[in-house]
Amino acid sequence: MTTTDAATGSESLDPADWSGLRTLGHRMIDDMFDHLQTLRDRPVWQPMPDTLRGELRQSLPRLPRTPEAVYETFQRLVQPYATGNLHPRFMGWVHGGGNPVGMLAELLAGGLNANLGGRDHAPIEVERQVIAWAAEMLGFPTDASGVLVTGTSIANLIGVLVARSAKLGPKVRSEGAGGDRLVAYTSAAAHGCMPRAMEMAGLGRDALRMIPCDADGRMRLDLLAQHLDADRAAGAQPFLLIGTAGTVDTGAIDDLSAIADVAARQGLWFHVDGAFGAVAALSPKLRPRLAGIELADSVAFDFHKWAQVPYDAGCIVVRDQARQLETFGAEAAYLKRETRGLAAGGVWPCDLGPDLSRGFRALKVWMTLSVYGADRIGAIAEQTCDLATILAARVDREPALQRLAPVALNIVCFRYVAANGDLDRLNADIVADLQEAGIAAPSTTMVGGVLAIRAAIVNHRTNVEDIAILVDAVLAAGRKRVT
Ligand SMILES: *Cc1c(COP(=O)(O)O)cnc(C)c1O
């Protein structure tokens, strides 16, 4: 497989004969297009058999194998047993469906093997463009700052860290938060990565007040005010108020305008977790529900969920770049900036987040938005909300089903009801039955103290028939288990 230089005897990893690898590469692309074109013919998901798991476990391969043989192993052991989120009836958690243009972009990005930590090159310009588009989508000023990261978990952590240094000043980088009792506020429906971000920021999860929600899953602002007063009276320092645009359980959106107002009056950093919900800003119909997001100091969201970009592609946007630089600006001598040559270019992505070496995630975002257009992505978000409305209406019509939460966006929580027995157990079993049969893959969550079947419609491939198949399968599985 390798090239030997006749003059020096040195070996590279490039093939001596490119034609074989080229042929294999073309076959891989054809095979993957076939895979995408025939998704509906296959189960949504199937468990990986233990024998195959065993086959995958090998000691470090010391000797070469042909790429054809390794590809055959991939096709047999890996491809059939992936997550399933490409499939139109994958409705679990909040998983994006990806898209074929994004897939090709991954190939191109892999080919260039660019490092987007810094320096002066076109791939960084592509990322800067993507951040500017994100700012435009959110209604932020066009000179807003930001960086692409793995996902919203890390983007939220960056939000917490920037808010922390905005409160304590850059000295927090040398001295730590020390004796300052910083306190943050978010809703009880916030994602689990929010308390984790507080842990990782060294502030402690107990310093995050999880304010109870109203019946629509929105943070109660009267209780927020009470907590703020009580904390100030106790000598703590409120510094950060986090709104959620699309809660993970039910898709609820906080009253972001009102929260922005509280943050402004109380001198708090206003961060929004818009992991999937922020993309609703691309739909003229959905956008009004996010009113106030444009007032945030920072917003975390994912391109890999509702925007259908292949994993992974999270994003943090910060209104004021000075605050982000103050938190992460890199000063090491080996990262010194020049005014000319490859080390030029001013602010580098490594100044805006914890990563130094970074891949070319931006390309798949840039190509997805460029090829489909932002309006189309917004229309897909709208389509999934319409499907959720159809699902909710069907649930409401079925005597054996009960809806458990209002439908704010694209998530429907419901359960199968029977006269007696443990309904939580029954509904968990129904979900596992559907997943194992490969018919559909909803997930579960707890709503109002009971276990819900949770269908998050995120995938651009999902249609009305898929909704009918899901409900019919839930009813059939429920009947089978109850009788
Ligand atoms: C998915 C999600 C997250 C976490 O995002 P990752 O990309 O998985 O890290 C955070 N908040 C909400 C509301 C989410 O839906």
Side-chain angles (χ1 to χ4, degrees):
M1 251 322 275
T2 52
T3 310
T4 308
D5 186 293
T8 62
S10 67
E11 278 194 354
S12 93
L13 298 179
D14 288 335
D17 169 17
W18 283 86
S19 66
L21 193 58
R22 184 185 292 259
T23 302
L24 177 64
H26 291 170
R27 182 149 69 82
M28 286 173 172
I29 293 182
D30 281 339
D31 290 347
M32 199 45 85
F33 277 124
D34 286 346
H35 183 72
L36 295 178
Q37 272 187 286
T38 55
L39 287 171
R40 280 180 186 280
D41 306 340
R42 282 189 301 278
V44 177
W45 170 82
Q46 53 187 338
M48 184 177 186
D50 285 341
T51 50
L52 299 187
R53 285 181 212 260
E55 225 184 296
L56 203 53
R57 276 194 290 272
Q58 302 280 338
S59 56
L60 180 67
R62 297 272 172 189
L63 299 174
R65 286 171 68 201
T66 66
E68 287 79 6
V70 176
Y71 178 50
E72 188 273 328
T73 305
F74 165 84
Q75 285 187 304
R76 209 163 45 77
L77 301 189
V78 182
Q79 186 175 318
Y81 308 104
T83 330
N85 54 315
L86 294 171
H87 197 286
R89 285 192 298 281
F90 187 99
M91 300 168 185
W93 302 274
V94 177
H95 276 39
N99 74 81
V101 170
M103 174 185 91
L104 294 174
E106 286 282 66
L107 179 69
L108 303 181
L112 286 185
N113 188 31
N115 182 344
L116 277 79
R119 294 152 291 270
D120 192 18
H121 51 92
I124 284 202
E125 289 303 332
V126 173
E127 177 155 344
R128 290 190 180 120
Q129 177 61 75
V130 164
I131 297 299
W133 287 345
E136 192 177 333
M137 172 185 99
L138 297 168
F140 269 44
T142 47
D143 64 348
S145 182
V147 73
L148 296 180
V149 289
T150 43
T152 294
S153 302
I154 294 300
N156 278 332
L157 171 61
I158 292 176
V160 169
L161 292 170
V162 175
R164 189 186 67 155
S165 56
K167 175 73 179 177
L168 299 180
K171 74 170 172 44
V172 69
R173 292 179 67 178
S174 45
E175 297 172 13
D180 294 292
R181 280 178 56 208
L182 298 190
V183 188
Y185 304 80
T186 190
S187 98
H191 192 271
C193 68
M194 224 57 255
R196 276 166 58 85
M198 292 291 286
E199 292 171 18
M200 290 187 285
L203 301 170
R205 63 191 304 142
D206 292 350
L208 180 65
R209 305 278 182 261
M210 310 281 288
I211 311 295
C213 298
D214 64 17
D216 289 329
R218 294 148 64 105
M219 179 170 19
R220 277 187 52 183
L221 299 179
D222 54 330
L223 297 179
L224 170 66
Q226 285 176 21
H227 272 87
L228 277 162
D229 289 347
D231 284 328
R232 286 199 200 278
Q237 293 191 58
F239 79 111
L240 167 62
L241 181 48
I242 302 153
T244 308
T247 61
V248 64
D249 280 335
T250 68
I253 302 169
D254 280 336
D255 184 343
L256 300 176
S257 297
I259 291 177
D261 197 48
V262 174
R265 277 188 286 112
Q266 300 251 2
L268 308 175
W269 185 272
F270 174 31
H271 174 80
V272 174
D273 176 356
F276 66 96
V279 171
L282 295 179
S283 148
K285 189 170 139 200
L286 301 175
R287 181 168 184 102
R289 302 186 202 175
L290 298 177
I293 198 169
E294 72 285 355
L295 302 171
D297 294 300
S298 53
V299 177
F301 73 97
D302 282 321
F303 283 109
H304 60 217
K305 288 177 174 171
W306 235 1
Q308 315 291 338
V309 171
Y311 285 89
D312 49 27
C315 184
I316 176 81
V317 179
V318 178
R319 175 177 304 276
D320 181 355
Q321 183 164 79
R323 298 282 84 78
Q324 203 174 355
L325 272 173
E326 207 167 81
T327 312
F328 296 106
E331 279 150 27
Y334 47 83
L335 297 176
K336 186 166 181 295
R337 311 306 142 85
E338 305 289 352
T339 52
R340 48 188 285 265
L342 185 52
V347 172
W348 291 354
C350 66
D351 296 317
L352 303 173
D355 295 312
L356 178 52
S357 295
R358 313 168 59 249
F360 196 3
R361 273 186 197 106
L363 188 65
K364 61 193 170 187
V365 182
W366 184 79
M367 283 191 75
T368 297
L369 287 169
S370 299
V371 169
Y372 298 104
D375 290 352
R376 180 93 185 278
I377 301 297
I380 294 287
E382 227 174 279
Q383 171 177 300
T384 61
C385 291
D386 292 344
L387 290 170
T389 306
I390 290 168
L391 171 55
R394 171 88 193 272
V395 166
D396 292 348
R397 279 200 309 276
E398 291 291 343
L401 300 180
Q402 177 192 14
R403 189 147 61 82
L404 294 171
V407 175
L409 288 171
N410 58 336
I411 299 177
V412 185
C413 291
F414 63 102
R415 65 175 177 167
Y416 188 90
V417 283
N420 44 40
D422 177 351
L423 287 187
D424 285 0
R425 185 69 262 152
L426 172 64
N427 280 279
D429 284 338
I430 290 173
V431 167
D433 289 346
L434 263 56
Q435 291 174 355
E436 285 175 1
I439 300 173
S443 58
T444 64
T445 191
M446 297 301 290
V447 176
V450 304
L451 186 131
I453 299 174
R454 176 172 161 290
I457 321 293
V458 185
N459 193 314
H460 56 99
R461 303 180 177 100
T462 309
N463 64 28
V464 176
E465 272 171 41
D466 296 310
I467 301 297
I469 292 170
L470 167 74
V471 179
D472 293 346
V474 167
L475 291 171
R479 270 194 303 269
K480 198 165 157 201
R481 286 201 164 264
V482 168
T483 52

